[in-house]
Amino acid sequence: MVERADIILEARGLRKVFNTGSAGLEVLKGVDLAVRAGELIAVMGESGVGKSTLLHLLGTLDLPTAGQLRIAGIDVLNLEDQALSRFRNRHIGFVFQFHYLLPEFTALENVLLPAQVAGVDRRKEALELMDSVGLADRLHHRPGALSGGECQRVAMVRALVNEPLVVLADEPSGNLDETASESLHQLLAGLARERGQAFVVMTHDRKLAQSMDRQGRIEAGVLQMEDDAT
């Protein structure tokens, strides 16, 4: 079980109801999740069960209908909008199925965007990370000149550049072929081990899930972690 002193992200009773006309659609029905510093967690489930919704709630990109969320001991749901945006930028990284790199910027410029928003100089860290993922010779290439796998590696570096406490990834290899997917999975695990960041990965990929520290599955709006099974 997760030791409370090690927990850097804790969700309790997260519910999400979407208004659909006269009725509400309850996608998440009380999700509990505790994540240790440096832990790798995979969340699996069929399409449409709420994996992306959960990621958006954990990342404070959307607000739950009910429930609590604490990150680094802070009740983030009670933060004002500007404070929440600053907290998200500094302490949470995101990697999505599509890389969302800005096409007019170089790879390095894309990586440095979160640091610029935070008002900090992370160029040295960005260069080191780009080298560690094998992209030292692609710094000044724009996304259109990079392969899909290279774009996803840039996106991963962008997520890590501010040294967040946790990185949330939504099907990060979903648009890649098998070889590029395997390379990205190995890279993700290696970076997490080396840098001590927690990763919560929403995925259909059973092989990727099995390489994580813990696995969970969303069914009927509830997240069941493997170590919570009775």
Side-chain angles (χ1 to χ4, degrees):
M1 295 297 292
V2 177
E3 295 294 334
R4 182 157 298 277
D6 295 335
I7 294 172
I8 53 98
L9 183 152
E10 184 173 24
R12 287 188 173 274
L14 288 185
R15 294 179 62 242
K16 186 63 179 180
V17 178
F18 292 99
N19 293 323
T20 57
S22 59
L25 175 62
E26 189 176 28
V27 176
L28 299 177
K29 301 179 180 180
V31 167
D32 296 327
L33 177 65
V35 183
R36 301 182 188 96
E39 186 175 32
L40 295 168
I41 290 179
V43 175
M44 301 188 71
E46 302 300 325
S47 296
V49 299
K51 298 192 302 297
S52 294
T53 298
L54 178 58
L55 181 139
H56 290 165
L57 297 184
L58 296 178
T60 73
L61 297 173
D62 194 8
L63 297 176
T65 305
Q68 300 176 333
L69 178 64
R70 301 183 71 86
I71 301 175
I74 296 173
D75 184 354
V76 294
L77 298 181
N78 281 333
L79 294 176
E80 297 292 336
D81 288 348
Q82 285 190 339
L84 181 58
S85 293
R86 288 194 298 268
F87 185 93
R88 183 191 307 120
N89 171 255
R90 183 64 187 83
H91 297 298
I92 306 174
F94 296 93
V95 182
F96 297 100
Q97 183 171 349
F98 184 71
H99 53 73
Y100 293 115
L101 301 179
L102 297 180
E104 67 272 24
F105 289 171
T106 66
L108 181 60
E109 288 168 342
N110 270 283
V111 164
L112 288 171
L113 282 174
Q116 291 176 347
V117 171
V120 294
D121 181 5
R122 306 292 294 176
R123 184 178 178 86
K124 179 176 181 293
E125 291 78 6
L127 292 173
E128 291 174 352
L129 277 166
M130 290 290 279
D131 183 57
S132 72
V133 302
L135 293 177
D137 60 345
R138 296 288 191 270
L139 298 176
H140 305 297
H141 288 63
R142 289 181 171 80
L146 301 174
S147 69
E150 288 172 335
C151 284
Q152 280 299 77
R153 280 186 274 166
V154 173
M156 190 172 294
V157 172
R158 180 182 58 190
L160 291 167
V161 72
N162 276 348
E163 296 186 346
L165 296 171
V166 60
V167 176
L168 304 175
D170 194 3
E171 300 286 0
S173 59
N175 284 332
L176 304 180
D177 62 32
E178 184 175 353
T179 299
S181 294
E182 181 64 26
S183 176
L184 189 73
H185 298 166
Q186 293 177 359
L187 183 62
L188 183 153
L191 288 171
R193 305 297 186 201
E194 177 184 337
R195 300 174 61 82
Q197 269 119 356
F199 274 75
V200 180
V201 182
M202 311 294 169
T203 184
H204 285 98
D205 192 318
R206 184 171 298 277
K207 186 175 181 181
L208 172 60
Q210 290 174 343
S211 71
M212 305 284 99
D213 297 321
R214 289 193 293 147
Q215 300 173 43
R217 176 172 288 276
I218 297 179
E219 292 182 351
V222 177
L223 173 63
Q224 181 69 57
M225 297 302 297
E226 60 180 9
D227 57 351
D228 295 333
T230 57

